[in-house]
PDB file of all heavy atoms in Angstrom:
ATOM      1  N   ALA A   1     119.257 168.821  84.540  1.00 98.00           N
ATOM      2  CA  ALA A   1     118.243 168.548  83.586  1.00 98.00           C
ATOM      3  C   ALA A   1     116.800 169.222  83.902  1.00 98.00           C
ATOM      4  O   ALA A   1     116.120 169.559  82.996  1.00 98.00           O
ATOM      5  CB  ALA A   1     117.961 167.047  83.560  1.00 98.00           C
ATOM      6  N   ASP A   2     116.568 169.614  85.145  1.00 97.00           N
ATOM      7  CA  ASP A   2     115.334 170.144  85.487  1.00 97.00           C
ATOM      8  C   ASP A   2     115.221 171.600  85.007  1.00 97.00           C
ATOM      9  O   ASP A   2     114.176 172.219  84.941  1.00 97.00           O
ATOM     10  CB  ASP A   2     115.016 170.157  87.031  1.00 97.00           C
ATOM     11  CG  ASP A   2     115.989 170.859  87.869  1.00 97.00           C
ATOM     12  OD1 ASP A   2     117.132 171.102  87.407  1.00 97.00           O
ATOM     13  OD2 ASP A   2     115.719 171.187  89.025  1.00 97.00           O
ATOM     14  N   LEU A   3     116.344 172.165  84.671  1.00 98.00           N
ATOM     15  CA  LEU A   3     116.367 173.576  84.059  1.00 98.00           C
ATOM     16  C   LEU A   3     115.939 173.520  82.678  1.00 98.00           C
ATOM     17  O   LEU A   3     115.575 174.652  82.074  1.00 98.00           O
ATOM     18  CB  LEU A   3     117.763 174.177  84.218  1.00 98.00           C
ATOM     19  CG  LEU A   3     118.147 174.722  85.505  1.00 98.00           C
ATOM     20  CD1 LEU A   3     119.656 175.242  85.446  1.00 98.00           C
ATOM     21  CD2 LEU A   3     117.330 175.812  86.013  1.00 98.00           C
ATOM     22  N   VAL A   4     116.098 172.508  81.907  1.00 98.00           N
ATOM     23  CA  VAL A   4     115.879 172.313  80.520  1.00 98.00           C
ATOM     24  C   VAL A   4     114.450 172.604  80.142  1.00 98.00           C
ATOM     25  O   VAL A   4     113.536 171.901  80.727  1.00 98.00           O
ATOM     26  CB  VAL A   4     116.384 171.059  79.862  1.00 98.00           C
ATOM     27  CG1 VAL A   4     116.065 171.027  78.457  1.00 98.00           C
ATOM     28  CG2 VAL A   4     117.777 170.864  80.149  1.00 98.00           C
ATOM     29  N   THR A   5     114.053 173.485  79.276  1.00 97.00           N
ATOM     30  CA  THR A   5     112.772 173.811  78.917  1.00 97.00           C
ATOM     31  C   THR A   5     112.251 172.647  77.947  1.00 97.00           C
ATOM     32  O   THR A   5     112.925 172.097  77.193  1.00 97.00           O
ATOM     33  CB  THR A   5     112.736 175.123  78.024  1.00 97.00           C
ATOM     34  OG1 THR A   5     113.467 176.040  78.646  1.00 97.00           O
ATOM     35  CG2 THR A   5     111.198 175.551  77.849  1.00 97.00           C
ATOM     36  N   PRO A   6     110.911 172.252  78.041  1.00 98.00           N
ATOM     37  CA  PRO A   6     110.377 171.300  77.118  1.00 98.00           C
ATOM     38  C   PRO A   6     110.545 171.802  75.653  1.00 98.00           C
ATOM     39  O   PRO A   6     110.363 172.897  75.358  1.00 98.00           O
ATOM     40  CB  PRO A   6     108.828 171.325  77.510  1.00 98.00           C
ATOM     41  CG  PRO A   6     108.894 171.671  78.985  1.00 98.00           C
ATOM     42  CD  PRO A   6     109.860 172.594  79.242  1.00 98.00           C
ATOM     43  N   GLY A   7     111.008 170.880  74.847  1.00 98.00           N
ATOM     44  CA  GLY A   7     111.332 171.181  73.421  1.00 98.00           C
ATOM     45  C   GLY A   7     112.840 171.523  73.309  1.00 98.00           C
ATOM     46  O   GLY A   7     113.268 171.701  72.102  1.00 98.00           O
ATOM     47  N   SER A   8     113.442 171.866  74.371  1.00 98.00           N
ATOM     48  CA  SER A   8     114.929 172.191  74.261  1.00 98.00           C
ATOM     49  C   SER A   8     115.732 170.963  74.696  1.00 98.00           C
ATOM     50  O   SER A   8     115.231 169.858  74.847  1.00 98.00           O
ATOM     51  CB  SER A   8     115.263 173.363  75.225  1.00 98.00           C
ATOM     52  OG  SER A   8     116.541 173.829  75.050  1.00 98.00           O
ATOM     53  N   TYR A   9     117.031 171.127  74.805  1.00 98.00           N
ATOM     54  CA  TYR A   9     118.047 170.002  75.033  1.00 98.00           C
ATOM     55  C   TYR A   9     118.955 170.217  76.120  1.00 98.00           C
ATOM     56  O   TYR A   9     119.400 171.332  76.439  1.00 98.00           O
ATOM     57  CB  TYR A   9     118.786 169.867  73.656  1.00 98.00           C
ATOM     58  CG  TYR A   9     117.970 169.558  72.459  1.00 98.00           C
ATOM     59  CD1 TYR A   9     117.447 170.487  71.712  1.00 98.00           C
ATOM     60  CD2 TYR A   9     117.791 168.224  72.040  1.00 98.00           C
ATOM     61  CE1 TYR A   9     116.678 170.265  70.564  1.00 98.00           C
ATOM     62  CE2 TYR A   9     117.040 167.980  70.830  1.00 98.00           C
ATOM     63  CZ  TYR A   9     116.456 168.928  70.135  1.00 98.00           C
ATOM     64  OH  TYR A   9     115.750 168.799  69.023  1.00 98.00           O
ATOM     65  N   ILE A  10     119.603 169.097  76.603  1.00 98.00           N
ATOM     66  CA  ILE A  10     120.763 169.144  77.343  1.00 98.00           C
ATOM     67  C   ILE A  10     121.649 168.241  76.579  1.00 98.00           C
ATOM     68  O   ILE A  10     121.309 166.974  76.268  1.00 98.00           O
ATOM     69  CB  ILE A  10     120.531 168.646  78.890  1.00 98.00           C
ATOM     70  CG1 ILE A  10     121.911 168.720  79.602  1.00 98.00           C
ATOM     71  CG2 ILE A  10     119.898 167.359  78.950  1.00 98.00           C
ATOM     72  CD1 ILE A  10     121.760 168.676  81.066  1.00 98.00           C
ATOM     73  N   VAL A  11     122.834 168.680  76.259  1.00 98.00           N
ATOM     74  CA  VAL A  11     123.779 167.976  75.221  1.00 98.00           C
ATOM     75  C   VAL A  11     125.075 167.562  76.048  1.00 98.00           C
ATOM     76  O   VAL A  11     125.836 168.254  76.488  1.00 98.00           O
ATOM     77  CB  VAL A  11     124.126 168.878  74.181  1.00 98.00           C
ATOM     78  CG1 VAL A  11     124.713 168.175  73.038  1.00 98.00           C
ATOM     79  CG2 VAL A  11     122.877 169.712  73.586  1.00 98.00           C
ATOM     80  N   ALA A  12     125.125 166.177  76.028  1.00 98.00           N
ATOM     81  CA  ALA A  12     126.324 165.425  76.670  1.00 98.00           C
ATOM     82  C   ALA A  12     127.385 165.285  75.491  1.00 98.00           C
ATOM     83  O   ALA A  12     127.421 164.346  74.858  1.00 98.00           O
ATOM     84  CB  ALA A  12     125.895 164.171  77.224  1.00 98.00           C
ATOM     85  N   THR A  13     128.206 166.233  75.308  1.00 98.00           N
ATOM     86  CA  THR A  13     129.200 166.241  74.275  1.00 98.00           C
ATOM     87  C   THR A  13     130.295 165.181  74.395  1.00 98.00           C
ATOM     88  O   THR A  13     130.460 164.659  75.481  1.00 98.00           O
ATOM     89  CB  THR A  13     129.862 167.664  74.109  1.00 98.00           C
ATOM     90  OG1 THR A  13     130.805 167.925  75.169  1.00 98.00           O
ATOM     91  CG2 THR A  13     128.747 168.770  73.961  1.00 98.00           C
ATOM     92  N   ASP A  14     130.923 164.997  73.227  1.00 98.00           N
ATOM     93  CA  ASP A  14     132.222 164.120  73.212  1.00 98.00           C
ATOM     94  C   ASP A  14     131.896 162.676  73.523  1.00 98.00           C
ATOM     95  O   ASP A  14     132.822 161.960  73.949  1.00 98.00           O
ATOM     96  CB  ASP A  14     133.264 164.800  74.013  1.00 98.00           C
ATOM     97  CG  ASP A  14     133.982 165.971  73.326  1.00 98.00           C
ATOM     98  OD1 ASP A  14     133.708 166.140  72.124  1.00 98.00           O
ATOM     99  OD2 ASP A  14     134.654 166.692  74.012  1.00 98.00           O
ATOM    100  N   GLY A  15     130.756 162.233  73.165  1.00 98.00           N
ATOM    101  CA  GLY A  15     130.478 160.737  73.350  1.00 98.00           C
ATOM    102  C   GLY A  15     131.359 159.865  72.309  1.00 98.00           C
ATOM    103  O   GLY A  15     131.381 158.724  72.527  1.00 98.00           O
ATOM    104  N   ILE A  16     131.953 160.574  71.325  1.00 98.00           N
ATOM    105  CA  ILE A  16     132.864 159.802  70.466  1.00 98.00           C
ATOM    106  C   ILE A  16     134.018 159.082  71.145  1.00 98.00           C
ATOM    107  O   ILE A  16     134.568 158.224  70.581  1.00 98.00           O
ATOM    108  CB  ILE A  16     133.387 160.887  69.426  1.00 98.00           C
ATOM    109  CG1 ILE A  16     134.167 160.082  68.268  1.00 98.00           C
ATOM    110  CG2 ILE A  16     134.517 161.794  70.182  1.00 98.00           C
ATOM    111  CD1 ILE A  16     133.230 159.508  67.405  1.00 98.00           C
ATOM    112  N   MET A  17     134.154 159.392  72.406  1.00 98.00           N
ATOM    113  CA  MET A  17     135.132 158.640  73.188  1.00 98.00           C
ATOM    114  C   MET A  17     134.912 157.101  73.127  1.00 98.00           C
ATOM    115  O   MET A  17     135.878 156.433  73.098  1.00 98.00           O
ATOM    116  CB  MET A  17     135.133 159.098  74.680  1.00 98.00           C
ATOM    117  CG  MET A  17     135.708 160.584  74.973  1.00 98.00           C
ATOM    118  SD  MET A  17     135.249 161.214  76.574  1.00 98.00           S
ATOM    119  CE  MET A  17     136.086 160.025  77.616  1.00 98.00           C
ATOM    120  N   PHE A  18     133.709 156.736  73.055  1.00 97.00           N
ATOM    121  CA  PHE A  18     133.343 155.321  72.923  1.00 97.00           C
ATOM    122  C   PHE A  18     134.123 154.613  71.777  1.00 97.00           C
ATOM    123  O   PHE A  18     134.410 153.374  71.841  1.00 97.00           O
ATOM    124  CB  PHE A  18     131.922 154.981  72.987  1.00 97.00           C
ATOM    125  CG  PHE A  18     131.347 154.835  71.514  1.00 97.00           C
ATOM    126  CD1 PHE A  18     131.235 153.676  70.944  1.00 97.00           C
ATOM    127  CD2 PHE A  18     131.087 156.008  70.796  1.00 97.00           C
ATOM    128  CE1 PHE A  18     130.785 153.520  69.616  1.00 97.00           C
ATOM    129  CE2 PHE A  18     130.549 155.953  69.542  1.00 97.00           C
ATOM    130  CZ  PHE A  18     130.464 154.632  68.967  1.00 97.00           C
ATOM    131  N   ASP A  19     134.464 155.443  70.712  1.00 98.00           N
ATOM    132  CA  ASP A  19     134.898 154.912  69.509  1.00 98.00           C
ATOM    133  C   ASP A  19     136.397 155.165  69.409  1.00 98.00           C
ATOM    134  O   ASP A  19     137.031 155.017  68.282  1.00 98.00           O
ATOM    135  CB  ASP A  19     134.190 155.387  68.190  1.00 98.00           C
ATOM    136  CG  ASP A  19     134.365 154.509  67.050  1.00 98.00           C
ATOM    137  OD1 ASP A  19     134.621 153.281  67.225  1.00 98.00           O
ATOM    138  OD2 ASP A  19     134.198 155.107  65.948  1.00 98.00           O
ATOM    139  N   LEU A  20     136.983 155.716  70.473  1.00 98.00           N
ATOM    140  CA  LEU A  20     138.286 156.148  70.344  1.00 98.00           C
ATOM    141  C   LEU A  20     139.248 155.325  71.332  1.00 98.00           C
ATOM    142  O   LEU A  20     140.494 155.694  71.630  1.00 98.00           O
ATOM    143  CB  LEU A  20     138.517 157.644  70.711  1.00 98.00           C
ATOM    144  CG  LEU A  20     137.804 158.683  69.893  1.00 98.00           C
ATOM    145  CD1 LEU A  20     137.862 160.017  70.393  1.00 98.00           C
ATOM    146  CD2 LEU A  20     138.384 158.647  68.468  1.00 98.00           C
ATOM    147  N   ALA A  21     138.668 154.262  72.053  1.00 97.00           N
ATOM    148  CA  ALA A  21     139.266 153.524  73.017  1.00 97.00           C
ATOM    149  C   ALA A  21     140.541 152.882  72.429  1.00 97.00           C
ATOM    150  O   ALA A  21     141.622 152.573  73.093  1.00 97.00           O
ATOM    151  CB  ALA A  21     138.357 152.450  73.565  1.00 97.00           C
ATOM    152  N   ASP A  22     140.581 152.617  71.054  1.00 97.00           N
ATOM    153  CA  ASP A  22     141.775 151.865  70.441  1.00 97.00           C
ATOM    154  C   ASP A  22     142.690 152.755  69.656  1.00 97.00           C
ATOM    155  O   ASP A  22     143.680 152.237  69.025  1.00 97.00           O
ATOM    156  CB  ASP A  22     141.296 150.694  69.675  1.00 97.00           C
ATOM    157  CG  ASP A  22     140.355 151.174  68.415  1.00 97.00           C
ATOM    158  OD1 ASP A  22     139.899 152.260  68.545  1.00 97.00           O
ATOM    159  OD2 ASP A  22     140.317 150.430  67.520  1.00 97.00           O
ATOM    160  N   VAL A  23     142.479 154.095  69.698  1.00 98.00           N
ATOM    161  CA  VAL A  23     143.401 154.923  68.969  1.00 98.00           C
ATOM    162  C   VAL A  23     144.584 155.345  69.746  1.00 98.00           C
ATOM    163  O   VAL A  23     144.505 155.257  71.091  1.00 98.00           O
ATOM    164  CB  VAL A  23     142.747 156.305  68.422  1.00 98.00           C
ATOM    165  CG1 VAL A  23     141.475 155.816  67.532  1.00 98.00           C
ATOM    166  CG2 VAL A  23     142.301 157.231  69.495  1.00 98.00           C
ATOM    167  N   PRO A  24     145.732 155.771  69.261  1.00 98.00           N
ATOM    168  CA  PRO A  24     146.877 155.986  70.096  1.00 98.00           C
ATOM    169  C   PRO A  24     146.676 156.935  71.290  1.00 98.00           C
ATOM    170  O   PRO A  24     147.249 156.804  72.356  1.00 98.00           O
ATOM    171  CB  PRO A  24     147.991 156.624  69.028  1.00 98.00           C
ATOM    172  CG  PRO A  24     147.492 155.937  67.783  1.00 98.00           C
ATOM    173  CD  PRO A  24     146.008 155.836  67.770  1.00 98.00           C
ATOM    174  N   ARG A  25     145.852 158.126  71.088  1.00 97.00           N
ATOM    175  CA  ARG A  25     145.755 158.996  72.154  1.00 97.00           C
ATOM    176  C   ARG A  25     144.427 158.683  73.054  1.00 97.00           C
ATOM    177  O   ARG A  25     144.095 159.462  73.942  1.00 97.00           O
ATOM    178  CB  ARG A  25     145.590 160.391  71.548  1.00 97.00           C
ATOM    179  CG  ARG A  25     146.841 160.959  71.061  1.00 97.00           C
ATOM    180  CD  ARG A  25     146.624 162.461  70.554  1.00 97.00           C
ATOM    181  NE  ARG A  25     146.125 163.358  71.628  1.00 97.00           N
ATOM    182  CZ  ARG A  25     144.843 163.886  71.623  1.00 97.00           C
ATOM    183  NH1 ARG A  25     144.025 163.732  70.520  1.00 97.00           N
ATOM    184  NH2 ARG A  25     144.510 164.580  72.567  1.00 97.00           N
ATOM    185  N   GLY A  26     143.780 157.529  72.763  1.00 98.00           N
ATOM    186  CA  GLY A  26     142.682 157.093  73.588  1.00 98.00           C
ATOM    187  C   GLY A  26     143.068 156.356  74.718  1.00 98.00           C
ATOM    188  O   GLY A  26     144.240 156.177  75.184  1.00 98.00           O
ATOM    189  N   ALA A  27     142.008 155.769  75.415  1.00 98.00           N
ATOM    190  CA  ALA A  27     142.165 154.929  76.599  1.00 98.00           C
ATOM    191  C   ALA A  27     141.133 153.840  76.569  1.00 98.00           C
ATOM    192  O   ALA A  27     139.992 153.981  76.242  1.00 98.00           O
ATOM    193  CB  ALA A  27     141.952 155.766  77.846  1.00 98.00           C
ATOM    194  N   ALA A  28     141.582 152.666  77.016  1.00 98.00           N
ATOM    195  CA  ALA A  28     140.724 151.437  76.814  1.00 98.00           C
ATOM    196  C   ALA A  28     139.294 151.633  77.623  1.00 98.00           C
ATOM    197  O   ALA A  28     138.284 151.194  77.139  1.00 98.00           O
ATOM    198  CB  ALA A  28     141.470 150.202  77.390  1.00 98.00           C
ATOM    199  N   GLU A  29     139.470 152.309  78.808  1.00 98.00           N
ATOM    200  CA  GLU A  29     138.229 152.363  79.613  1.00 98.00           C
ATOM    201  C   GLU A  29     137.253 153.295  78.959  1.00 98.00           C
ATOM    202  O   GLU A  29     136.105 153.335  79.344  1.00 98.00           O
ATOM    203  CB  GLU A  29     138.621 152.977  80.917  1.00 98.00           C
ATOM    204  CG  GLU A  29     139.267 154.355  80.954  1.00 98.00           C
ATOM    205  CD  GLU A  29     140.798 154.242  81.005  1.00 98.00           C
ATOM    206  OE1 GLU A  29     141.264 153.247  80.498  1.00 98.00           O
ATOM    207  OE2 GLU A  29     141.403 155.260  81.380  1.00 98.00           O
ATOM    208  N   TRP A  30     137.560 154.124  77.989  1.00 98.00           N
ATOM    209  CA  TRP A  30     136.596 154.893  77.292  1.00 98.00           C
ATOM    210  C   TRP A  30     135.515 154.146  76.619  1.00 98.00           C
ATOM    211  O   TRP A  30     134.529 154.687  76.333  1.00 98.00           O
ATOM    212  CB  TRP A  30     137.294 155.844  76.197  1.00 98.00           C
ATOM    213  CG  TRP A  30     138.159 156.857  76.840  1.00 98.00           C
ATOM    214  CD1 TRP A  30     138.391 157.119  78.184  1.00 98.00           C
ATOM    215  CD2 TRP A  30     138.893 157.916  76.155  1.00 98.00           C
ATOM    216  NE1 TRP A  30     139.219 158.171  78.314  1.00 98.00           N
ATOM    217  CE2 TRP A  30     139.559 158.618  77.072  1.00 98.00           C
ATOM    218  CE3 TRP A  30     139.075 158.114  74.797  1.00 98.00           C
ATOM    219  CZ2 TRP A  30     140.468 159.632  76.795  1.00 98.00           C
ATOM    220  CZ3 TRP A  30     139.977 159.150  74.433  1.00 98.00           C
ATOM    221  CH2 TRP A  30     140.553 159.964  75.399  1.00 98.00           C
ATOM    222  N   ALA A  31     135.766 152.924  76.355  1.00 97.00           N
ATOM    223  CA  ALA A  31     134.765 152.087  75.708  1.00 97.00           C
ATOM    224  C   ALA A  31     133.345 152.090  76.369  1.00 97.00           C
ATOM    225  O   ALA A  31     132.299 152.039  75.851  1.00 97.00           O
ATOM    226  CB  ALA A  31     135.185 150.613  75.465  1.00 97.00           C
ATOM    227  N   SER A  32     133.479 152.246  77.738  1.00 97.00           N
ATOM    228  CA  SER A  32     132.252 152.315  78.534  1.00 97.00           C
ATOM    229  C   SER A  32     132.171 153.574  79.401  1.00 97.00           C
ATOM    230  O   SER A  32     131.141 153.985  79.848  1.00 97.00           O
ATOM    231  CB  SER A  32     132.144 151.129  79.505  1.00 97.00           C
ATOM    232  OG  SER A  32     133.361 151.009  80.176  1.00 97.00           O
ATOM    233  N   ASP A  33     133.377 154.265  79.681  1.00 98.00           N
ATOM    234  CA  ASP A  33     133.413 155.379  80.491  1.00 98.00           C
ATOM    235  C   ASP A  33     133.345 156.601  79.563  1.00 98.00           C
ATOM    236  O   ASP A  33     134.436 157.268  79.281  1.00 98.00           O
ATOM    237  CB  ASP A  33     134.700 155.359  81.337  1.00 98.00           C
ATOM    238  CG  ASP A  33     134.706 156.512  82.390  1.00 98.00           C
ATOM    239  OD1 ASP A  33     133.647 157.148  82.645  1.00 98.00           O
ATOM    240  OD2 ASP A  33     135.777 156.803  82.924  1.00 98.00           O
ATOM    241  N   ASN A  34     132.154 157.008  79.254  1.00 98.00           N
ATOM    242  CA  ASN A  34     131.997 158.145  78.206  1.00 98.00           C
ATOM    243  C   ASN A  34     130.638 158.774  78.389  1.00 98.00           C
ATOM    244  O   ASN A  34     129.764 158.272  78.908  1.00 98.00           O
ATOM    245  CB  ASN A  34     132.231 157.539  76.783  1.00 98.00           C
ATOM    246  CG  ASN A  34     131.198 156.544  76.410  1.00 98.00           C
ATOM    247  OD1 ASN A  34     130.028 156.894  76.197  1.00 98.00           O
ATOM    248  ND2 ASN A  34     131.593 155.279  76.309  1.00 98.00           N
TER     249      ASN A  34
END
């Protein structure tokens, strides 16, 4: 994070895991582990 320039971003991708905990290829722990 300390490399990120003011006005720029650090992007933590694939947070959609929180909403995939109950789909067939998902995992229950993803509800919080994401």
